[in-house]
Amino acid sequence: MQSFLREMETFSSLASEVREKERVVLVGTNPWFMETRYFSQWLERLRESSRIEVRLVEIAGGTERSMVDSGSCDVYIGPNLISGKRLSHVDLPVMAAGICLNGNQVPPRSLEDLESIRAWGIHLPGLSSQAAEWLQAIKVAGGGSGRLISSPNYLEWSASPLRSQLEAVIAPIPAKTSAVWHPFKPLGGIRIRATALSQHPYDFLGAAIQAAAANFMEHDGNL
């Protein structure tokens, strides 16, 4: 009888471990943010938990809250603040802007340095108000006047920066690129949060998000 009970305890322990490892965490974010180096590095930190299998969910702008509320995604990460009594937030390090130059120029270190670049643009999809603030801040600082770049034009520029009339582009640093990007911190960056249900069915999810955030903050100098 005791042997049988020990076998049942072992089986129960193994079954519990399997269930934990099979739990899938649906991570939702906006399509453009999913392509950034910032997101890929944060995702890598989250995946370091052996109990979590991560699957990505693309979220259209304006539907972030409903996706989290309905359970269509377990956690949303991105720049859009979504509020609700059932939600909890974890602040992450700001995502610094990046700058890519199509020549051998020295990367600018201040907003004023942009004045020496003949033509530059800003690509900040889904964040039009912050893009406008960046343009104004650069203009006030004496960095000249740039323009906003649409997503199609940004993709065209990304394919062949050297053929573009733009000498520089300011945007979130992409995860996959053959071009050389430099952090451009004078703009102050973009605030990023991870949002999930406060009472989520996965009792380990909150701790996993907090652990990923803490680990991520230790590496924020490389973002």
Side-chain angles (χ1 to χ4, degrees):
M1 185 67 177
Q2 290 182 347
S3 176
F4 173 75
L5 290 176
R6 285 196 296 270
E7 289 181 1
M8 288 301 297
E9 289 177 357
T10 301
F11 174 79
S12 177
S13 176
L14 290 173
S16 177
E17 182 180 353
V18 168
R19 282 196 298 271
E20 289 294 315
K21 288 186 177 181
E22 286 184 342
R23 286 183 177 178
V24 175
V25 173
L26 303 177
V27 175
T29 192
N30 309 105
W32 70 267
F33 187 71
M34 193 178 291
E35 303 297 327
T36 64
R37 181 184 299 175
Y38 186 106
F39 178 74
S40 66
Q41 292 185 350
W42 182 84
L43 198 62
E44 181 181 343
R45 305 289 183 265
L46 184 63
R47 280 178 166 148
E48 288 176 357
S49 171
S50 61
R51 299 193 308 172
I52 296 176
E53 178 186 346
V54 176
R55 294 182 186 173
L56 302 182
V57 178
E58 290 191 0
I59 298 181
T63 65
E64 292 87 355
R65 177 177 174 177
S66 63
M67 292 288 284
V68 177
D69 271 335
S70 66
S72 297
C73 76
D74 296 303
V75 55
Y76 165 78
I77 174 174
N80 297 324
L81 175 62
I82 53 178
S83 58
K85 294 181 179 179
R86 303 174 62 216
L87 305 179
S88 61
H89 309 278
V90 175
D91 289 324
L92 301 177
V94 298
M95 177 173 65
I99 186 167
C100 182
L101 303 144
N102 66 359
N104 296 321
Q105 306 99 312
V106 176
R109 295 187 177 182
S110 67
L111 299 183
E112 299 95 308
D113 290 345
L114 286 171
E115 197 275 334
S116 63
I117 299 176
R118 181 177 55 83
W120 54 269
I122 291 178
H123 178 63
L124 206 54
L127 298 171
S128 56
S129 60
Q130 184 153 10
E133 291 176 4
W134 283 6
L135 284 172
Q136 182 63 19
I138 294 170
K139 183 177 180 179
V140 170
S145 297
R147 63 182 178 88
L148 298 181
I149 304 173
S150 66
S151 292
N153 288 339
Y154 176 75
L155 291 175
E156 182 180 352
W157 172 85
S158 298
S160 185
L162 294 176
R163 296 183 180 180
S164 173
Q165 294 181 350
L166 291 172
E167 294 183 0
V169 167
I170 298 169
I173 300 176
K176 297 179 181 179
T177 177
S178 58
V180 177
W181 285 81
H182 308 273
F184 191 52
K185 295 186 178 181
L187 282 172
I190 302 168
R191 189 175 181 184
I192 305 296
R193 305 172 184 85
T195 302
L197 291 174
S198 300
Q199 301 295 326
H200 195 281
Y202 287 174
D203 54 5
F204 63 83
L205 183 60
I209 294 174
Q210 291 283 357
N215 190 293
F216 195 55
M217 289 180 183
E218 293 177 1
H219 296 78
D220 64 352
N222 297 321
L223 299 179

